Amino acid sequence: MPRPIEARIHPRALTHNLARARACAPDARVWAVVKANAYGHGVERVFDALRGADGFALLDLAEAERLRALDWRGPILLLEGCFEPRDLELCSRLGLWHVVHCTEQIDWLAAHKTHTPHRVFLKLNSGMNRLGFRPQAFRAAWARLNVLPQVEEISLVTHFSDADGPRGIAHQLAAWAEATADLPGERSLSNSAATLRFAQDAGVRADWVRAGIMSYGGVPDFPEHDMAHWDLQPAMTLRSKLLAVQDLQPGDTVGYGSRFTAEAPLRIGVVACGYADGYPRHCPTGTPVLVDGVRTRTVGRVSMDMLTVDLGPVPQARMGSEVTLWGHGPGGSVLGIDEVAQAAGTIGYELMCAVAPRVPVVVDGD
Ligand SMILES: *Cc1c(COP(=O)(O)O)cnc(C)c1O
């Protein structure tokens, strides 16, 4: 028998969450962002549920090839554009749209021989200071692209650093407005956080929104808001079972480093899930977890293949009881991945992307 751990992907949740992105930006088109192998869910596993999107955005050319292999004929956008000149050949062959964020990428285009001119998304660095042309250089970059026979259409794109937080997007919107004012072309600014929080503003939703984490049911501005607030559903469940039960006496400790000491008699369960499955080792005692759909907490250190949970709230639990590390539990129970991530000092994005290859993945309905 394999270990009882598995990750489940929920296509209906994906479709629901994508519809939420549409509802937030009704007159915009929606990119389903499927980079990092669809945030760890698997490009092939999410494809059917997300094919109602207007396009797919990602950054790995091999993932773009996988989408075309699924017979996706619609738009695909490379969010970081080309990494080297010969990537342009693949863009030509597969009809990929690509971001142009630096002078070198324009040089490569100018030297590229293609029969089919490309659609490019010229990126403004409006304050994130990762990729993109600074406002003073933006117009010149646009003018250069505009005269290239290799370029068919120029769209404009930027990315927010603080759409999920207190700084907000006003400073970047101001830089964007000034740099793009009289340039033609479709526009895309918003990630999930901006789509959820600011897309009432037509200038923010623009022509295309880029829905990443929200498509998977992650809450970009947790804990300010939660899944219920934004009406999102987890698209991934990580679940396992109890391998063993221990009855602790006062003074007994649990696991490596004896990080937890029972103060009173305590029943604990040992779960077949550890950091080698992608469950964060940083999760301290008290991290939320569901046993038989009942909310309880982890106790002691997470080890490579196991972790331990307090069975106080679940007296009926026994070997084989179902454990939900995040996502959907039995009886309609739900544990948000963002809660677990917060306990580990990180964000849901990282947990989704880090589920280990050894964890078998099952798609609901298959
Ligand atoms: C990852 C990414 C997104 C999606 O971000 P979420 O916060 O997951 O919605 C959008 N745009 C760019 C450029 C990205 O790299």
Side-chain angles (χ1 to χ4, degrees):
M1 258 266 291
R3 293 168 72 233
I5 190 167
E6 70 177 23
R8 290 195 85 85
I9 306 300
H10 309 294
R12 284 169 55 186
L14 290 161
T15 303
H16 169 89
N17 296 334
L18 185 69
R20 289 285 303 125
R22 274 210 192 287
C24 290
D27 55 358
R29 273 160 289 162
V30 179
W31 295 107
V33 181
V34 295
K35 65 190 181 192
N37 199 23
Y39 290 48
H41 295 63
V43 167
E44 288 78 9
R45 294 187 199 103
V46 303
F47 175 67
D48 264 329
L50 295 180
R51 67 186 309 159
D54 299 292
F56 288 93
L58 43 68
L59 39 88
D60 188 313
L61 285 94
E63 287 177 354
E65 286 188 283
R66 282 159 61 191
L67 269 173
R68 287 291 184 233
L70 291 165
D71 228 16
W72 173 254
R73 309 269 174 86
I76 297 179
L77 175 64
L78 297 177
L79 290 166
E80 297 180 354
C82 294
F83 301 99
E84 53 177 337
R86 66 182 182 140
D87 292 345
L88 288 166
E89 290 160 29
L90 197 72
C91 292
S92 294
R93 184 150 55 79
L94 299 182
L96 308 179
W97 302 356
H98 48 105
V99 163
V100 170
H101 64 76
C102 64
T103 317
E104 290 81 354
Q105 289 177 327
I106 304 181
D107 298 339
W108 301 341
L109 260 170
H112 179 56
K113 295 186 176 42
T114 182
H115 298 294
T116 47
H118 290 198
R119 174 148 180 193
V120 298
F121 280 64
L122 182 62
K123 184 150 188 174
L124 176 72
N125 171 10
S126 57
M128 169 75 110
N129 288 313
R130 263 177 359 182
L131 302 182
F133 292 89
R134 300 186 70 84
Q136 315 83 278
F138 195 66
R139 212 157 279 263
W142 186 90
R144 239 194 111 191
L145 284 172
N146 193 42
V147 296
L148 290 184
Q150 290 90 343
V151 173
E152 177 185 50
E153 188 173 344
I154 308 171
S155 304
L156 312 178
V157 61
T158 196
H159 193 48
F160 295 127
S161 59
D162 291 75
D164 56 349
R167 191 175 181 199
I169 62 172
H171 63 294
Q172 287 186 267
L173 272 182
W176 168 262
E178 193 175 331
T180 63
D182 49 2
L183 292 179
E186 292 188 351
R187 286 149 158 78
S188 177
L189 299 81
S190 294
N191 58 359
S192 296
T195 301
L196 290 167
R197 293 165 69 100
F198 305 115
Q200 323 80 276
D201 176 340
V204 174
R205 62 181 183 274
D207 299 295
W208 293 85
V209 298
R210 307 188 300 272
I213 194 70
M214 69 177 295
S215 306
Y216 306 97
V219 180
D221 59 355
F222 185 86
E224 185 183 342
H225 294 115
D226 62 11
M227 268 189 300
H229 177 86
W230 294 124
D231 183 18
L232 298 172
Q233 298 173 5
M236 178 197 285
T237 294
L238 183 65
R239 71 180 194 187
S240 188
K241 289 183 175 169
L242 292 186
L243 285 177
V245 171
Q246 299 286 346
D247 285 299
L248 303 186
Q249 299 309 309
D252 284 351
T253 62
V254 182
Y256 289 118
S258 301
R259 293 292 278 260
F260 176 82
T261 306
E263 273 157 20
L266 181 70
R267 233 174 134 238
I268 62 164
V270 182
V271 184
C273 176
Y275 61 77
D277 298 302
Y279 191 91
R281 184 172 173 279
H282 291 100
C283 284
T285 290
T287 300
V289 58
L290 308 179
V291 176
D292 280 340
V294 178
R295 196 180 166 99
T296 179
R297 58 176 183 145
T298 64
V299 291
R301 255 195 195 143
V302 174
S303 48
M304 182 183 289
D305 310 300
M306 289 178 267
L307 58 84
T308 35
V309 298
D310 179 352
L311 297 182
V314 227
Q316 78 282 7
R318 51 178 181 78
M319 185 184 176
S321 289
E322 183 164 339
V323 179
T324 309
L325 286 318
W326 59 71
H328 298 274
S333 56
V334 176
L335 175 60
I337 196 169
D338 302 291
E339 284 191 67
V340 181
Q342 177 176 245
T346 184
I347 52 176
Y349 297 70
E350 187 180 8
L351 270 52
M352 293 176 187
C353 293
V355 173
R358 80 172 185 182
V359 176
V361 184
V362 182
V363 179
D364 269 357
D366 279 8

